[in-house]
Amino acid sequence: MKVKVISRSTDEFTRERSQDLQRVFRNFDPTLRTQEKAVEYVRALNAAKLDKIFARPFIGAMDGHIDAVSAMAKNPANLKWLFSGSMDGDIRLWDLATRQTVCQFPGHQGAVRGLTASTDGRVLVSCGTDSTVRLWNVPLPSHTQDDSSDNDTKPLATYVWKSAFWGVDHQENGELFATAGAQVDIWNHNRSQPINSFEWGKDTVISVRFNPGEPNVLATSGSDRSITIYDLRLSSPARKMIMMTKTNSLAWNPMEPMNFTAANEDCNCYSYDVRKMNEARCVHRDHVSAVMDIDYSPTGREFVTGSYDRTVRIFQYNGGHSREIYHTKRMQRVFCVKFSNDGSYIISGSDDTNLRLWKAKASEQLGVLLPRERKNHEYLEAVKNRYKHLPEVKRIVRHRHLPKPIYKAASLRRIMTDAQRKKDERRRAHSAPGSIVNKPLRKRRIIKEIE
Amino acid sequence: MAEKGKKEKSRGEITQRRRRDGGEVRGRKRKSLSSSGKRKEEKKRRSGPRLPNALKRELERLNPTVDGEASDGDDEEIDSDAAVGNDVYEYEEGVAEEESTRNKRYDPVENYEFELPEDFEDWKVPSDGEEDDDENEDPGRHGRLLEDITGLSADAFGGKKKKDLIISEAYPECEFNPTGDILDGNGRISIHDLLDPLHGKSGFSKLRKDLHRMGKKTVPTLAPVARTDQERIERKAAYEQSKKDITKWEPLVKRNREAPTLFFDEDKELGYSTIGAIASEFTPRTDFEKKMASLVNQSEVVDAHKRDGARLLELNEVSIEDVKERQERLAKMRDLLFRHEMKAKRVKKIKSKTYHRLLKKDKSKAAEASIRMDPEAAKEHAMKIEFKRAEERMTLKHKNSSKWAKRILKRGLDAQDDSTKAAFSEQLSQHAALTRKINSIKESSSSDDSSDGDDSDDMSAGSDQEAAEKLIKKAKEKTLQILEGDDELPTSGVLALPFMVRGLKKRKEAADEEAKLALEEYESSLKQMGDTSKSRSSDKDAKGAPGGKMVFGAPEKVVNRTTKKEKVNNYYGDSDSESDADANADDNTLNDHTGKSLKEMDIDPSLLREEFGFSHDSVFKSFGDAEDPEPKTAYEVAYLSSDSWKKVRKSSDAVKGSEADLNVRKPGIVAQTENDPESEDDDEDSGTDSEVEMVDGILSSGPKSSYELPSQAELIQRAFAGDDVEEDFIKQKEAVLDEENPEPEKPVLLPGWGQWTGVQKRRGLPSWMLKEHEAAKQKRDESLKKRKDAHLNNVIISEKLGKKAEKLHTKTLPYPYTSKEVFEQSIRMPIGPEFNPVTAIGALNRPEVVKKAGVIIKPIEYEDVSVHERGEGGRKGSAPKQGKVNGKNRSRK
């Protein structure tokens, strides 16, 4: 007689230790499991719901300033340190882990408008409306722990200049920094005078950013509604583009040196390619008031914006609408936002004198994850991503609770844009074909490009 | 600089020439005027060339070498050609006065051009009287002579020679006045001309080189552009440059964008990794730690460690007492531990109250079930109960005889709390139950029968004739009710449909007929009971007959069955009239059949004979001769042949009783009906219909007729005569179509809608309404034509999307996908761990960006991603580079 049995070697199913997981043998024949799609859909749905339940993005507020926070700077060498300057001239160094002030840098007479730190994190540069540029020595982490009593430091250098400053940014891996004001000045750490000045037009320059990938290229935005590109190697401005409304701030994509995004006064953000400035690559819409500040995640895949409408939003680098919106009852106009150096936190500084710490992913589990836990999270994320187009999942993922004023303003804006669109359509329909050209939104807000 | 110098030089040249020309003209005039000036010139020549200082300086600056050399050559030239030399010096003097640019007293010369032909004419005229110039004199004379002799013009003889002479005069040869051969060329002195003399001389190589270099670039500089333009150009250049520079990032960025996953979780140096390294950093902080450290670091111990183990052993010496004490302590601890363990084990076994309650419930349930099913178990159970009862009687355990109960009683029941009271009363009740059981068991044995059937109560109680009579009467009443109760046909719902109505009618007719027959039978049986007082046994036989005869079960169960049967009978009647109890079709058909069969079986042979034309009852033809035992078998065969055996068997459960009755009593009945006029009277009482039947019955009992078995097809046709499947399907399909593509509503005229006031004449529906209706109809037709089952008559393909399925579909194609197929492919394969092997899951579920919390991500750094390298395989090419750059992002594949 022939007897058929399943035979497996004992090695396959014995555990080495009692903590080990029992090995499970599965037959992956798809005909055996015909409901896998439905199963995964339900999982995606549940994951989306759970995400909603666990979405607790707000970690904490950092209280200390006595006036609105006007500028912030990350410390590129230290993950948990953050500089912030306020309208009363106070500069503070925060420890994000404890949410305490580590030390203060007193000296500015007027509002601090720009803050930046060198790449090694040793020198802090600040400038403000009192027409001074101050360089500070950043204390070492070990020092601050020891003597917390004298946490006041004196500036390394103070340079008084002719006009008020509006912004400053430090070169990546260099010792140059650029200030924006009546003109763009390039400074060296060791010189008391700017080594180079650029002036193109007589309007004030309100923000300046160095390209982190290409350290000799910088971009500024001016009160003449312009965005200007400079190249330090040729010590000359390169290109200027004028839009319909002012650009409050801009940020380069750290992973794509040719791209930058401009935070505009018209509630939108515009992503540009430096090489092709006559049209935006992407228009990021959702804010309902002027966008005040913008910062890219170090991964280059998303960026955060702070707006005058009291919200912080997170966008995909190529997404037309925001992925996330953060707001609290007490948060007022947001003047500055930053992504943390590891891309998992967001810091916002607002009119209510507080800095706020947020998670970049609202429902992310903090702390150490076990490998199985992590795998499960990844799986749920993948499943959710796969079924994100299905109506139910989409609805749950997209749903956000908004403060009433913002909700109303958004719907009003929608009505207005719809009306405008309709009007344009009718106008086009009733005029000679070709006489009215339909400009895409990406080009509509650009007035001209100046050589 | 070089060009400028050159320009200046040429400018100087020009001015000199101008002066020269003008001076020459005048000089020549003067010459022609008087020869007295000649002596003066001679004197001047001797005193040396008196060039104006400025001119001299300029000359020197311009061409020092030439000047120096010229001084040598000058003499020669002057020697050879004195007249020319004189000329020059004369002109120079003159020019210095009149044409120096310093004072502008003199009019500037209008025309600097040298008008040669006029001049030639000019000097030719006075040449007649010129004697002092020998060279001029001779040819002139000679020419005149020749003229005189030949009569030809003098030019024909020595024109050329004359010309040469003239030129040499006009352009005195020096560095400023070029020689004739130069004039023949482009008319300028080139630097080469000046340099030629230097050729081969040493010490001038540098100069020559410089000049050579200068000579190469001869493009003139343009005038400077406006500043704005210049800046724009600069900016443009800068932009182009930076554009070009930034484009180098493109392949890298492209690679990163295309990569399914970006990795930013480069491992970082986090510090010590070995225990030794960590331990070496340790410094005692707390008191305990310090104490430990002081002990460990005692000099003796450390020394012992350093030397060898022997010393350590010495230090390690312990006393016997210590050891004993330790052992005792250990033993005690072990004992305690053991006790604790035991206790824990016991505690662990204790189950919760709920568990016990549920367990009890389960047990009791199981016991009940087993009692019911298993006689053995039942016996056991009874034994157990009996035992308990006995025990109770013996011990009076529950009659407050226990210590606890006594104590409570002593204290007084009122003083106790509620729970105690409850427990107390519980005890009492248990006792009561145990003692009462004796009675109850007795009761139950008798009440078994009574509970068995209310209907058959009378019948079973005595199981005598009266009971049977009662029963039959009851049945009769009920059938009468059915007959009389003419129900209305339903007017709405599914049952209102014509075919349903038809069916209902048919069924009703059948039921009526059957009821009549039953009635008849009851009558007869009643009569029989009345007339022939049969013994109880025979009566029982009548009831048990079907069981006995048809082998359908134990005789004792038949009692129940008969009652059941009657119920079923009633049920048929009910179902027919009310038509909602038998909703399911199977039952319907069954009922139909049973109804028919019942009817057929109830029919007397005489009846059958009467109904012969109605071939339906062919089966019972054999039944007609039911007087002898043989027909019965024939009847069974007939059933088998009609393929409805099973159904009949099922139904026969219900039918059997009466049927059996029939079988048994038929002869009797028939005889009675034939013989007894009384029965006829009774029938007449019962109803008009039954009278006819009776008459029929009497009639039919007459002659026998032949009967033929119907064919199989006929039988089937007959069996399914009621249900027209095809028509039903067509209707069903129409309904589905209507539901999925609803027919447009017929336009209804709303008063005032689409019309003016009542003044206007009514013209029916407004045209637009009709048009709309037409359009809607057309649309519906089209959509019906487009359906997949439009040409399939026997198929319904529903095109309605279920709501549940709708959830699993998108309304539009999602953004990055371009075709439906691609999108569906993308979500086809499951990605879960249940559906994929472990090795594949990681890749399937990997997120777009992998990063570690707490790792600083640096901005992108340039690396060369050439196309060639990528073609070979990205991973291979980029791996070593990534190894080099620590903490750098990269994309793995």
Side-chain angles (χ1 to χ4, degrees):
Chain A
M1 196 174 85
K2 205 174 178 182
V3 179
K4 277 188 180 176
V5 289
I6 298 171
S7 82
R8 285 196 181 114
S9 75
T10 45
D11 293 347
E12 279 182 337
F13 54 84
T14 40
R15 297 179 293 176
E16 284 178 7
R17 279 156 289 170
S18 61
Q19 291 89 5
D20 285 355
L21 291 174
Q22 201 82 49
R23 248 185 105 180
V24 181
F25 291 92
R26 283 211 168 80
N27 188 347
F28 297 113
D29 185 2
T31 52
L32 290 181
R33 293 175 179 76
T34 50
Q35 295 295 308
E36 79 277 326
K37 209 168 163 186
V39 166
E40 294 210 323
Y41 168 73
V42 171
R43 277 181 194 161
L45 200 63
N46 288 341
K49 286 173 184 171
L50 284 178
D51 260 10
K52 276 271 144 322
I53 290 167
F54 290 125
R56 297 275 178 274
F58 181 62
I59 294 172
M62 284 168 275
D63 192 12
H65 282 297
I66 52 170
D67 206 341
V69 183
S70 55
M72 284 197 301
K74 295 183 269 194
N75 189 340
N78 194 334
L79 194 63
K80 58 173 192 170
W81 278 13
L82 182 90
F83 305 99
S84 73
S86 76
M87 290 290 191
D88 61 345
D90 185 20
I91 300 171
R92 277 164 187 265
L93 170 58
W94 297 92
D95 186 352
L96 294 180
T98 58
R99 302 207 292 276
Q100 300 285 323
T101 304
V102 176
C103 69
Q104 282 175 291
F105 304 92
H108 273 288
Q109 302 299 314
V112 180
R113 281 298 183 172
L115 270 180
T116 186
S118 63
T119 312
D120 58 0
R122 304 297 300 279
V123 179
L124 171 71
V125 183
S126 68
C127 66
T129 49
D130 57 353
S131 312
T132 55
V133 175
R134 283 161 207 263
L135 269 63
W136 312 82
N137 203 352
V138 178
L140 290 168
S142 54
H143 286 220
T144 49
Q145 276 172 8
D146 293 342
D147 43 15
S148 54
S149 53
D150 61 333
N151 53 4
D152 284 3
T153 44
K154 288 212 163 58
L156 281 177
T158 306
Y159 308 135
V160 182
W161 205 233
K162 288 171 242 168
S163 53
F165 289 108
W166 282 84
V168 65
D169 196 37
H170 203 283
Q171 195 179 22
E172 181 81 22
N173 294 323
E175 54 174 20
L176 299 181
F177 62 90
T179 58
Q183 59 194 9
V184 179
D185 295 318
I186 310 296
W187 304 71
N188 193 314
H189 281 176
N190 308 320
R191 306 272 182 95
S192 61
Q193 298 227 322
I195 57 166
N196 209 341
S197 297
F198 301 115
E199 198 177 12
W200 187 354
K202 293 294 175 195
D203 290 282
T204 312
V205 181
I206 51 177
S207 76
V208 58
R209 282 291 175 96
F210 268 100
N211 190 342
E214 192 79 30
N216 287 316
V217 174
L218 67 146
T220 64
S221 69
S223 57
D224 59 344
R225 300 162 295 151
S226 68
I227 294 171
T228 317
I229 309 293
Y230 298 84
D231 197 329
L232 291 188
R233 285 164 298 193
L234 294 150
S235 66
S236 144
R239 187 59 52 114
K240 191 179 209 172
M241 190 255 303
I242 295 183
M243 296 181 72
M244 281 183 175
T245 40
K246 197 169 76 174
T247 296
N248 285 322
S249 175
L250 41 81
W252 291 90
N253 189 333
M255 286 298 151
E256 295 171 6
M258 65 278 279
N259 295 337
F260 69 90
T261 306
N264 206 293
E265 192 84 2
D266 67 352
C267 318
N268 295 343
C269 293
Y270 298 87
S271 285
Y272 287 102
D273 189 330
V274 182
R275 299 164 299 170
K276 206 164 172 291
M277 302 264 280
N278 57 353
E279 72 169 341
R281 292 174 61 91
C282 187
V283 182
H284 312 274
R285 288 175 290 178
D286 261 356
H287 277 298
V288 293
S289 189
V291 189
M292 299 306 287
D293 198 11
I294 181 169
D295 191 38
Y296 257 96
S297 161
T299 60
R301 290 300 177 109
E302 52 196 17
F303 61 84
V304 59
T305 58
S307 164
Y308 208 67
D309 62 11
R310 302 176 203 164
T311 60
V312 172
R313 279 181 189 268
I314 304 171
F315 291 86
Q316 297 284 344
Y317 75 111
N318 55 1
H321 289 278
S322 64
R323 169 174 79 76
E324 195 67 78
I325 175 171
Y326 293 158
H327 55 85
T328 64
K329 234 175 198 175
R330 297 182 181 196
M331 189 164 73
Q332 297 299 314
R333 323 282 183 202
V334 183
F335 289 140
C336 43
V337 283
K338 287 278 178 246
F339 238 105
S340 75
N341 282 328
D342 62 347
S344 41
Y345 296 98
I346 285 165
I347 304 103
S348 70
S350 48
D351 206 5
D352 56 321
T353 75
N354 281 333
L355 277 83
R356 287 189 168 75
L357 185 62
W358 310 85
K359 286 193 272 185
K361 277 185 75 184
S363 57
E364 196 179 32
Q365 187 179 332
L366 296 181
V368 181
L369 287 180
L370 294 173
R372 289 182 71 198
E373 240 175 333
R374 188 174 46 75
K375 266 180 204 161
N376 190 42
H377 283 311
E378 277 175 7
Y379 171 57
L380 290 182
E381 200 63 31
V383 163
K384 214 171 59 179
N385 192 42
R386 161 169 284 202
Y387 290 103
K388 69 185 170 194
H389 302 298
L390 298 187
E392 191 76 348
V393 179
K394 197 175 174 183
R395 186 183 64 79
I396 293 168
V397 168
R398 278 187 60 207
H399 180 80
R400 292 284 180 283
H401 175 73
L402 286 182
K404 206 170 184 183
I406 289 165
Y407 182 76
K408 278 186 171 170
S411 52
L412 185 68
R413 273 180 70 80
R414 207 172 306 124
I415 290 167
M416 282 158 72
T417 47
D418 281 354
Q420 187 61 42
R421 187 175 44 76
K422 256 182 226 165
K423 191 173 186 178
D424 286 346
E425 270 170 15
R426 284 183 187 144
R427 194 170 273 162
R428 207 172 314 122
H430 289 92
S431 50
S435 64
I436 294 176
V437 276
N438 187 22
K439 253 185 161 181
L441 183 63
R442 293 181 295 153
K443 283 184 177 176
R444 210 178 290 156
R445 305 290 298 180
I446 298 170
I447 293 175
K448 62 176 172 180
E449 196 184 357
I450 304 171
E451 285 187 342
Chain B
M1 184 58 202
E3 273 177 47
K4 207 177 171 187
K6 218 188 241 177
K7 220 179 278 172
E8 262 175 49
K9 208 192 287 171
S10 62
R11 219 179 291 151
E13 226 174 340
I14 289 160
T15 50
Q16 280 159 25
R17 230 197 262 169
R18 272 186 219 145
R19 284 173 201 163
R20 201 190 308 146
D21 295 346
E24 227 172 326
V25 174
R26 252 167 254 128
R28 260 176 241 133
K29 276 177 189 168
R30 226 172 278 156
K31 236 190 273 172
S32 60
L33 282 172
S34 64
S35 59
S36 64
K38 196 198 163 191
R39 201 143 295 143
K40 227 197 263 172
E41 282 159 26
E42 290 271 32
K43 245 191 260 170
K44 273 169 204 163
R45 194 182 62 94
R46 236 149 259 154
S47 67
R50 287 199 294 114
L51 289 167
N53 275 341
L55 190 62
K56 261 190 185 169
R57 228 177 293 137
E58 199 179 357
L59 283 169
E60 269 168 358
R61 187 173 61 80
L62 280 174
N63 221 347
T65 50
V66 174
D67 203 25
E69 212 190 3
S71 61
D72 310 335
D74 245 4
D75 293 0
E76 290 169 14
E77 278 172 275
I78 287 161
D79 290 339
S80 66
D81 200 352
V84 177
N86 290 344
D87 229 14
V88 167
Y89 290 120
E90 190 187 30
Y91 123 76
E92 276 186 342
E93 205 173 57
V95 168
E97 282 286 331
E98 293 161 15
E99 290 201 33
S100 71
T101 47
R102 251 178 251 158
N103 60 10
K104 309 238 170 161
R105 280 178 294 166
Y106 304 97
D107 291 339
V109 179
E110 310 308 311
N111 194 5
Y112 292 120
E113 289 282 311
F114 176 59
E115 296 151 41
L116 195 65
E118 275 175 38
D119 283 344
F120 287 152
E121 291 298 315
D122 222 350
W123 73 258
K124 251 185 195 170
V125 178
S127 70
D128 298 302
E130 200 80 6
E131 253 93 337
D132 41 345
D133 200 342
D134 305 341
E135 288 172 31
N136 266 8
E137 210 175 22
D138 284 337
R141 265 188 209 154
H142 183 66
R144 268 199 307 272
L145 185 70
L146 283 172
E147 233 181 315
D148 291 342
I149 293 164
T150 57
L152 290 167
S153 71
D155 292 354
F157 298 106
K160 203 187 174 190
K161 202 182 173 185
K162 231 191 276 170
K163 216 176 205 172
D164 272 336
L165 283 170
I166 291 161
I167 289 164
S168 64
E169 267 183 328
Y171 298 89
E173 191 151 281
C174 72
E175 60 264 53
F176 307 119
N177 294 332
T179 51
D181 54 359
I182 290 162
L183 274 175
D184 286 343
N186 56 8
R188 287 189 176 192
I189 302 171
S190 70
I191 288 173
H192 289 288
D193 294 330
L194 301 173
L195 281 179
D196 277 343
L198 293 178
H199 197 78
K201 285 183 184 172
S202 63
F204 296 104
S205 61
K206 190 173 177 266
L207 175 83
R208 217 169 34 240
K209 262 183 206 164
D210 284 351
L211 284 171
H212 190 68
R213 183 170 47 79
M214 284 181 218
K216 262 186 185 169
K217 278 190 198 166
T218 51
V219 186
T221 44
L222 299 167
V225 211
R227 202 184 154 190
T228 48
D229 292 339
Q230 201 177 332
E231 277 179 351
R232 188 191 300 138
I233 291 159
E234 271 175 33
R235 288 194 300 250
K236 203 171 174 184
Y239 183 57
E240 291 303 324
Q241 185 63 35
S242 51
K243 228 172 155 178
K244 216 172 94 191
D245 272 8
I246 271 181
T247 309
K248 77 177 178 191
W249 293 95
E250 210 160 52
L252 197 59
V253 168
K254 190 161 176 284
R255 193 187 71 182
N256 283 348
R257 277 204 180 175
E258 282 170 353
T261 305
L262 281 182
F263 291 89
F264 296 107
D265 60 342
E266 212 53 43
D267 283 331
K268 253 197 140 187
E269 192 62 49
L270 291 172
Y272 308 113
S273 54
T274 62
I275 293 169
I278 294 164
S280 68
E281 284 287 297
F282 176 77
T283 48
R285 278 176 300 179
T286 61
D287 289 339
F288 176 71
E289 279 173 1
K290 276 172 188 164
K291 211 173 170 182
M292 287 296 290
S294 67
L295 281 174
V296 169
N297 296 330
Q298 250 178 357
S299 56
E300 282 182 356
V301 178
V302 172
D303 272 356
H305 261 293
K306 275 179 185 168
R307 276 180 200 153
D308 60 347
R311 176 88 183 110
L312 261 183
L313 283 176
E314 271 175 43
L315 282 172
N316 214 8
E317 204 177 12
V318 279
S319 63
I320 296 168
E321 287 81 40
D322 279 351
V323 172
K324 234 178 206 172
E325 198 192 341
R326 187 164 169 275
Q327 273 177 345
E328 274 168 14
R329 205 175 61 238
L330 276 177
K332 198 181 174 187
M333 292 308 286
R334 223 174 278 141
D335 188 49
L336 281 174
L337 201 67
F338 175 71
R339 277 164 202 281
H340 183 75
E341 226 168 69
M342 295 307 287
K343 198 182 172 186
K345 256 183 197 170
R346 190 178 60 81
V347 166
K348 207 187 169 198
K349 269 183 193 160
I350 295 171
K351 298 285 197 298
S352 71
K353 245 182 185 175
T354 331
Y355 171 81
H356 282 295
R357 209 184 60 225
L358 292 174
L359 193 72
K360 211 170 159 189
K361 225 182 203 175
D362 281 354
K363 263 186 187 167
S364 68
K365 242 184 209 172
E368 250 173 60
S370 67
I371 287 160
R372 218 175 279 158
M373 301 300 291
D374 193 6
E376 283 287 306
K379 211 188 242 174
E380 233 169 73
H381 181 69
M383 287 280 281
K384 216 186 251 175
I385 285 173
E386 198 60 32
F387 177 75
K388 262 192 182 170
R389 202 158 44 79
E391 199 185 25
E392 177 65 25
R393 266 181 291 151
M394 297 265 285
T395 57
L396 293 178
K397 195 177 171 187
H398 291 105
K399 218 190 164 192
N400 299 339
S401 57
S402 68
K403 228 180 196 177
W404 169 76
K406 273 177 193 162
R407 210 176 65 204
I408 285 172
L409 284 175
K410 206 167 141 194
R411 276 193 178 177
L413 204 58
D414 297 333
Q416 305 303 323
D417 58 349
D418 288 342
S419 59
T420 323
K421 273 182 200 168
F424 203 75
S425 60
E426 168 77 16
Q427 279 238 352
L428 281 177
S429 64
Q430 206 168 350
H431 171 76
L434 281 171
T435 46
R436 196 177 55 219
K437 275 245 159 87
I438 310 158
N439 303 327
S440 69
I441 286 170
K442 275 180 192 165
E443 273 168 27
S444 68
S445 62
S446 62
S447 70
D448 257 6
D449 300 2
S450 64
S451 66
D452 256 1
D454 290 330
D455 294 12
S456 61
D457 203 3
D458 334 35
M459 183 172 63
S460 59
S463 70
D464 50 12
Q465 242 177 348
E466 286 161 23
E469 248 173 15
K470 258 185 194 172
L471 183 70
I472 291 167
K473 266 178 193 164
K474 220 179 189 176
K476 196 180 148 191
E477 270 169 34
K478 273 184 183 171
T479 37
L480 273 175
Q481 261 178 19
I482 290 155
L483 276 173
E484 279 157 16
D486 196 15
D487 46 7
E488 311 100 56
L489 293 169
T491 52
S492 64
V494 191
L495 298 165
L497 292 169
F499 71 95
M500 285 299 273
V501 171
R502 241 182 291 142
L504 277 178
K505 265 185 188 166
K506 217 177 254 178
R507 222 183 294 161
K508 189 163 166 27
E509 275 170 17
D512 279 354
E513 215 164 331
E514 172 202 336
K516 276 173 209 160
L517 285 173
L519 207 64
E520 192 186 330
E521 181 212 324
Y522 296 147
E523 291 291 328
S524 59
S525 59
L526 269 176
K527 274 214 184 106
Q528 193 184 17
M529 275 172 197
D531 293 350
T532 57
S533 54
K534 278 184 181 172
S535 65
R536 190 178 294 172
S537 63
S538 73
D539 202 47
K540 250 194 179 169
D541 211 335
K543 264 149 213 162
K549 278 189 179 170
M550 298 198 67
V551 208
F552 271 134
E556 43 177 25
K557 280 174 191 169
V558 174
V559 184
N560 291 346
R561 260 206 213 122
T562 45
T563 57
K564 246 187 224 165
K565 167 212 80 185
E566 281 186 358
K567 271 181 199 163
V568 169
N569 268 341
N570 292 342
Y571 167 71
Y572 291 147
D574 287 348
S575 70
D576 287 343
S577 59
E578 274 150 42
S579 76
D580 55 350
D582 52 346
N584 79 35
D586 252 322
D587 264 18
N588 269 344
T589 53
L590 186 73
N591 288 347
D592 274 345
H593 280 281
T594 49
K596 273 171 200 162
S597 58
L598 255 182
K599 177 179 73 186
E600 286 150 9
M601 279 182 276
D602 286 344
I603 290 165
D604 278 6
S606 53
L607 269 179
L608 287 173
R609 250 164 255 141
E610 193 271 331
E611 283 175 357
F612 223 55
F614 189 68
S615 62
H616 205 237
D617 304 332
S618 56
V619 184
F620 299 101
K621 203 211 106 184
S622 56
F623 200 56
D625 13 7
E627 271 86 343
D628 38 17
E630 273 93 316
K632 208 189 139 207
T633 52
Y635 140 85
E636 276 176 9
V637 170
Y639 264 102
L640 274 171
S641 66
S642 68
D643 273 351
S644 56
W645 172 242
K646 271 184 192 167
K647 283 176 188 171
V648 170
R649 231 176 74 160
K650 269 183 209 160
S651 61
S652 65
D653 251 344
V655 171
K656 210 168 17 187
S658 58
E659 177 193 317
D661 273 358
L662 271 182
N663 282 340
V664 174
R665 287 180 218 139
K666 235 162 246 162
I669 293 164
V670 171
Q672 277 162 26
T673 44
E674 273 175 303
N675 300 335
D676 297 347
E678 287 172 38
S679 65
E680 274 182 38
D681 295 341
D682 281 345
D683 282 346
E684 272 171 28
D685 290 344
S686 69
T688 51
D689 282 342
S690 61
E691 191 183 31
V692 178
E693 292 284 314
M694 284 311 294
V695 173
D696 283 352
I698 293 159
L699 283 171
S700 61
S701 61
K704 282 184 183 178
S705 61
S706 62
Y707 172 74
E708 286 171 30
L709 271 175
S711 71
Q712 191 81 345
E714 247 177 65
L715 275 175
I716 288 169
Q717 207 178 3
R718 225 178 285 147
F720 297 104
D723 36 284
D724 190 354
V725 184
E726 273 184 33
E727 202 179 320
D728 280 359
F729 180 78
I730 289 166
K731 265 176 195 157
Q732 203 181 333
K733 188 168 179 179
E734 264 172 25
V736 168
L737 292 186
D738 269 346
E739 198 188 352
E740 285 175 19
N741 308 74
E743 211 164 339
E745 271 184 44
K746 269 210 159 178
V748 191
L749 193 69
L750 271 170
W753 184 252
Q755 286 179 331
W756 294 105
T757 50
V759 181
Q760 214 174 19
K761 223 167 63 178
R762 290 185 74 188
R763 279 186 210 147
L765 290 162
S767 62
W768 62 268
M769 267 189 188
L770 292 173
K771 214 186 273 176
E772 248 179 27
H773 182 66
E774 269 309 302
K777 251 189 175 175
Q778 215 161 10
K779 204 177 160 191
R780 178 178 184 257
D781 288 345
E782 269 171 31
S783 60
L784 284 183
K785 265 180 206 165
K786 271 182 202 166
R787 284 177 65 94
K788 278 177 191 166
D789 56 358
H791 302 294
L792 304 169
N793 289 329
N794 300 332
V795 181
I796 301 175
I797 301 172
S798 174
E799 290 185 348
K800 199 174 76 177
L801 252 180
K803 267 189 181 174
K804 284 191 176 172
E806 209 172 352
K807 274 199 294 189
L808 300 167
H809 290 97
T810 53
K811 276 176 187 159
T812 53
L813 196 66
Y815 158 60
Y817 299 100
T818 47
S819 79
K820 194 181 150 197
E821 284 74 31
V822 175
F823 173 60
E824 276 169 2
Q825 279 288 319
S826 77
I827 60 170
R828 190 178 56 90
M829 207 180 89
I831 49 176
E834 293 93 337
F835 316 107
N836 292 295
V838 184
T839 45
I841 286 171
L844 283 172
N845 295 345
R846 197 165 288 144
E848 279 178 12
V849 174
V850 174
K851 60 183 171 56
K852 235 187 226 171
V855 175
I856 294 174
I857 301 168
K858 296 271 180 208
I860 194 166
E861 275 173 50
Y862 185 69
E863 57 179 300
D864 196 17
V865 190
S866 62
V867 181
H868 174 63
E869 200 179 27
R870 272 208 306 158
E872 277 182 359
R875 183 194 270 178
K876 204 174 139 196
S878 57
K881 240 173 276 159
Q882 277 149 10
K884 217 160 51 187
V885 186
N886 194 22
K888 204 170 122 190
N889 66 303
R890 57 179 164 150
S891 58
R892 263 180 243 154
K893 275 178 190 163

